[in-house]
Amino acid sequence: MNAIRSLALFVVLTGISPTPVDSAESLTFEKDVRPILKAHCFHCHGESGVKEAELDVRLRHWIVAGGDSGEAIVAGNPDDSLLLERVASGDMPPGDKTLSDSEIATIGKWIFQGAPTARAEPASLDAGDYITEEERAFWSFQPIMRPKIPAVDSSRVVTPIDAFVLQRLEQQGLAFSDTADRYTLIRRATFDLWGLPPDPDSVEAFVRDPSPNAYENLIDRLLASPRYGERWGRHWLDVAGYADSDGYTNTDVEREFSYFYRDYVINSFNDDKPLDQFIIEQLAGDELVDGAGGTPELTPERIAQLAATGFLRMAPDGTAAGGPERDLAINSTIADTIEIVSTSLLGLTVGCARCHDHRYDPISQADYHRLRAIFEPALDWKKWKTPMHRRISLYTDADTKERAAVEARAKEASAARTKRQQEHLDRTLYEELLVVSDDVREPLKAAYETAKAERTAEQVALLAEYPSVASISAGSLYLYSQQRARRANDIEKAAAEREARYIDEAKQKLAAESPDVVVTAESLAKHHPAGFAEVKRYRDAAAICRKLDSKKELADMLSEITKIRSTAPKENFLRVLTEPVNHTPESHLFIRGDHNQLGQTVQPGELTVLQTHTPVQIDANDPDRSTTGRRLA
């Protein structure tokens, strides 16, 4: 090894002596080195079939075998170990994120000690789920144990928790604080259980309560209040990512009925629902009753079970918008759902394994997609259901009948309005025709009443000449209503002109027989009955035109129809997660997390590391159910 390389390694490995290291510092590949390589090197050297320079560093014997450049380490000789040289020089891993000095020193010490393993290694990692005993031994992967209650000497130890607290305090030379007075105690308890201060009357009642069980009675009262569920339900709603809108896009569509899940959580706390039932209902409430023989009755219990699956509907969901990025939005929603489930129920960020093996926890990418496969029948990205199609109506048979009766009344009112609207149209046409010349009135009326597609060229031209007639329609009726004063004036003007003409006609007729008779408007009815009737017809039409307001009348009738429909029972919906019947999609590992690059098929399953103490079999399909039953399993 050249002098520069030796100097670099000497600086990095300061503290490594040429003599054997103390046994207390003995290192193993599984405990000390593999976690470093997993965090920094697996991604390019072994994981998902990627082996740059043909080097796989996931097992010690593969590192010794090396790659294109030969063996990567020489046990007992750090100076001749290429792996150590590359990480010490900063050449590997590529990019800005290099190994820390302490990590490089650990690798160097391990090589110097002979690169030992804690046990015999597997020959291959075909399954891709190699988990070391050291990883399995992490405290959170161990079975829950009931610890022995510490023996402490104190009359103030009332519960086992007190004993644990006092033991720890005594280790630090401390003791319990003085007992809180009742004023302080009720404030602490009320704030803790309700999130609100106690009212003055409650404080005084508690302070003056002579019962030896006064505190226990206070706690019972606080727990019995709906305020308790509202206070503590908020913590779970935060964990579940509760939101009243879909998020994801700037539109942020409102989740109109998300409150059913919120109320389910609150009620669960207030009802002291067992924790296992609380979790099962949220993961698979829809599968607790199999609907193979028909839709189960929506009893209050069934509604609660379905509302509980809103837990799996809390992830941001932008799939209603569609667009070219729809598949990306779908898979983002699924990934966020898995993150909610895993962080809330497992306390693990399995999302880090979506694209590659987890860098720190013993979770493989295959593990991630096996977990995803549990939810895939309900969250099938290839047969996706938008939020609007993931709802169940809460309408009862009685609600349906009542709504039908209301709708029948509304249709009757609509028919009456339609009839009245046509009457206003006929009247408007009648009024407009009063003010056109007599010779064009009938042809113009005929042209208007002829279907548009059947009008002759002459009729089209005639209507174009009289737009006040051609424009009469249901949509423009309100405009004619606004102009009714002008139209009434026109009609009255036409009536006056006709009246004058008819008086002249009467005078001319009487001139030879009764030249002394005076014909006036008042005597027109006697001397020219037909003319008088015509004038009266005009003036009656003008009066009606001024009086009737079609815009207001029709608007009032429409308002009444709306009012009738508003009396129908409101239809509420549950936002749920359900599986289509007999739907068992094939699940795949996504290479590099890309849904467009399908890798190996995977079967549903829990995380491998969790199977150590309690193996669980999740079948791809439950033959006794109409759905797969994966989430329920």
Side-chain angles (χ1 to χ4, degrees):
M1 179 177 289
N2 61 44
I4 296 178
R5 181 185 302 172
S6 297
L7 178 61
L9 288 179
F10 175 79
V11 172
V12 171
L13 302 179
T14 298
I16 298 182
S17 63
T19 57
V21 180
D22 183 79
S23 59
E25 297 178 347
S26 296
L27 307 178
T28 64
F29 176 70
E30 293 86 350
K31 178 178 179 295
D32 302 292
V33 176
R34 192 173 189 272
I36 298 173
L37 301 180
K38 182 180 181 183
H40 297 282
C41 308
F42 279 17
H43 193 51
C44 296
H45 294 282
E47 184 180 292
S48 300
V50 177
K51 290 193 295 183
E52 293 189 9
E54 289 302 310
L55 177 63
D56 192 328
V57 299
R58 292 177 297 165
L59 294 174
R60 186 262 191 195
H61 66 82
W62 283 340
I63 300 174
V64 172
D68 291 342
S69 300
E71 57 185 4
I73 62 170
V74 177
N77 191 347
D79 285 352
D80 289 336
S81 295
L82 183 59
L83 172 67
L84 183 60
E85 175 195 348
R86 299 301 299 276
V87 297
S89 66
D91 291 341
M92 290 293 166
D96 298 331
K97 191 174 182 181
T98 58
L99 272 64
S100 67
D101 289 349
S102 62
E103 290 173 326
I104 296 172
T106 296
I107 295 174
K109 290 180 181 179
W110 171 70
I111 295 173
F112 182 81
Q113 292 176 356
T117 59
R119 63 194 64 83
E121 293 185 314
S124 68
L125 299 178
D126 292 337
D129 290 313
Y130 177 54
I131 299 176
T132 67
E133 293 300 320
E134 289 74 13
E135 289 173 321
R136 294 181 189 276
F138 190 67
W139 69 267
S140 68
F141 301 134
Q142 305 311 303
I144 295 176
M145 306 290 289
R146 184 174 292 278
K148 182 179 179 181
I149 299 175
V152 290
D153 184 15
S154 174
S155 61
R156 295 182 59 192
V157 172
V158 179
T159 70
I161 294 176
D162 294 340
F164 285 101
V165 172
L166 182 57
Q167 181 191 49
R168 187 62 181 272
L169 289 173
E170 289 178 342
Q171 290 174 0
Q172 304 297 324
L174 302 172
F176 283 139
S177 300
D178 293 337
T179 301
D181 60 68
R182 286 198 173 187
Y183 286 104
T184 302
L185 203 55
I186 187 173
R187 284 181 59 82
R188 287 178 180 172
T190 309
F191 268 116
D192 186 44
L193 296 179
W194 287 9
L196 299 167
D199 63 86
D201 291 342
S202 297
V203 173
E204 288 302 315
F206 175 63
V207 169
R208 299 178 186 281
D209 187 349
S211 170
N213 296 322
Y215 183 65
E216 288 79 359
N217 294 336
L218 169 67
I219 297 301
D220 286 342
R221 181 175 65 82
L222 294 175
L223 291 175
S225 169
R227 303 291 84 75
Y228 165 71
E230 293 167 4
R231 162 69 167 167
W232 282 89
R234 288 176 59 192
H235 294 298
W236 182 256
L237 291 171
D238 285 343
V239 167
Y242 176 82
D244 288 305
S245 59
D246 278 335
Y248 195 86
T249 64
N250 290 333
T251 308
D252 200 16
V253 178
E254 179 186 357
R255 291 173 173 171
E256 185 180 0
F257 300 102
S258 61
Y259 64 86
F260 280 110
Y261 174 67
R262 177 202 66 196
D263 292 350
Y264 162 80
V265 171
I266 292 172
N267 293 335
S268 295
F269 275 82
N270 282 327
D271 295 341
D272 199 21
K273 181 171 292 185
L275 179 61
D276 58 347
Q277 182 182 348
F278 182 62
I279 293 174
I280 290 170
E281 288 176 346
Q282 290 179 87
L283 287 176
D286 57 306
E287 293 190 317
L288 289 174
V289 177
D290 189 15
T295 303
E297 182 184 356
L298 287 178
T299 62
E301 179 184 11
R302 184 61 182 153
I303 290 173
Q305 292 171 345
L306 291 170
T309 65
F311 171 67
L312 301 175
R313 296 290 316 286
M314 285 297 114
D317 189 343
T319 61
E325 297 299 320
R326 184 172 183 270
D327 286 350
L328 178 61
I330 289 172
N331 282 284
S332 293
T333 299
I334 297 172
D336 288 340
T337 300
I338 293 173
E339 181 178 357
I340 289 171
V341 172
S342 62
T343 54
S344 62
L345 299 179
L346 301 179
L348 292 170
T349 53
V350 300
C352 295
R354 179 184 178 188
C355 304
H356 50 72
D357 290 351
H358 202 294
R359 291 290 173 258
Y360 305 101
D361 292 328
I363 305 172
S364 68
Q365 189 186 13
D367 255 343
Y368 176 89
H369 285 89
R370 281 192 287 265
L371 184 63
R372 172 177 165 136
I374 295 175
F375 301 92
E376 193 129 29
L379 294 172
D380 186 349
W381 72 281
K382 292 184 178 180
K383 294 186 178 180
W384 187 255
K385 292 182 179 180
T386 61
M388 284 294 291
H389 293 94
R390 294 188 186 274
R391 307 197 311 181
I392 291 179
S393 173
L394 291 178
Y395 243 35
T396 63
D397 291 341
D399 290 333
T400 301
K401 291 179 181 179
E402 185 176 351
R403 181 168 67 178
V406 169
E407 186 59 25
R409 287 166 45 210
K411 287 182 177 179
E412 288 180 5
S414 295
R417 183 181 182 275
T418 300
K419 179 182 178 182
R420 185 57 177 154
Q421 178 177 267
Q422 187 58 51
E423 291 172 353
H424 280 297
L425 288 170
D426 294 341
R427 177 181 58 81
T428 302
L429 175 63
Y430 172 74
E431 292 167 354
E432 288 293 343
L433 290 174
L434 287 176
V435 296
V436 302
S437 58
D438 294 349
D439 60 327
V440 81
R441 183 175 298 135
E442 287 306 318
L444 184 58
K445 182 174 183 293
Y448 174 83
E449 292 176 344
T450 300
K452 187 175 182 180
E454 299 175 3
R455 288 171 184 164
T456 65
E458 290 78 9
Q459 287 177 323
V460 172
L462 186 59
L463 288 170
E465 187 178 351
Y466 292 91
S468 61
V469 172
S471 299
I472 298 173
S473 68
S476 64
L477 195 56
Y478 75 99
L479 296 173
Y480 287 88
S481 179
Q482 292 172 347
Q483 296 294 320
R484 65 185 188 280
R486 184 270 307 162
R487 193 162 65 255
N489 289 338
D490 291 344
I491 295 172
E492 287 174 345
K493 181 180 178 182
E497 291 173 351
R498 286 178 177 271
E499 185 177 58
R501 188 171 75 239
Y502 294 145
I503 289 174
D504 287 342
E505 288 178 0
K507 285 180 179 181
Q508 291 174 11
K509 183 177 180 181
L510 294 172
E513 301 175 2
S514 306
D516 297 332
V517 175
V518 177
V519 181
T520 64
E522 288 75 14
S523 62
L524 185 61
K526 177 181 177 182
H527 301 295
H528 198 322
F532 176 80
E534 181 74 355
V535 172
K536 184 176 184 302
R537 183 170 72 91
Y538 269 66
R539 286 184 173 146
D540 287 347
I544 293 173
C545 182
R546 290 186 189 277
K547 180 181 179 181
L548 295 183
D549 184 350
S550 61
K551 177 183 177 182
K552 183 179 185 306
E553 184 178 358
L554 294 176
D556 289 345
M557 295 180 79
L558 183 60
S559 177
E560 181 61 24
I561 295 169
T562 303
K563 184 177 179 181
I564 291 172
R565 286 200 167 104
S566 70
T567 62
K570 181 181 178 182
E571 186 171 14
N572 293 317
F573 294 86
L574 293 176
R575 300 179 73 259
V576 300
L577 188 77
T578 58
E579 289 186 20
V581 174
N582 300 322
H583 180 62
T584 312
E586 188 173 68
S587 299
H588 290 264
L589 181 146
F590 294 165
I591 298 174
R592 294 292 193 240
D594 184 355
H595 56 269
N596 291 315
Q597 298 187 61
L598 301 184
Q600 68 197 56
T601 59
V602 295
Q603 296 299 313
E606 284 199 278
L607 303 182
T608 303
V609 70
L610 300 183
Q611 302 279 359
T612 303
H613 302 288
T614 311
V616 175
Q617 176 66 35
I618 299 180
D619 295 327
N621 188 43
D622 185 342
D624 297 326
R625 305 186 63 82
S626 60
T627 57
T628 63
R630 296 180 186 183
R631 285 176 290 119
L632 187 59

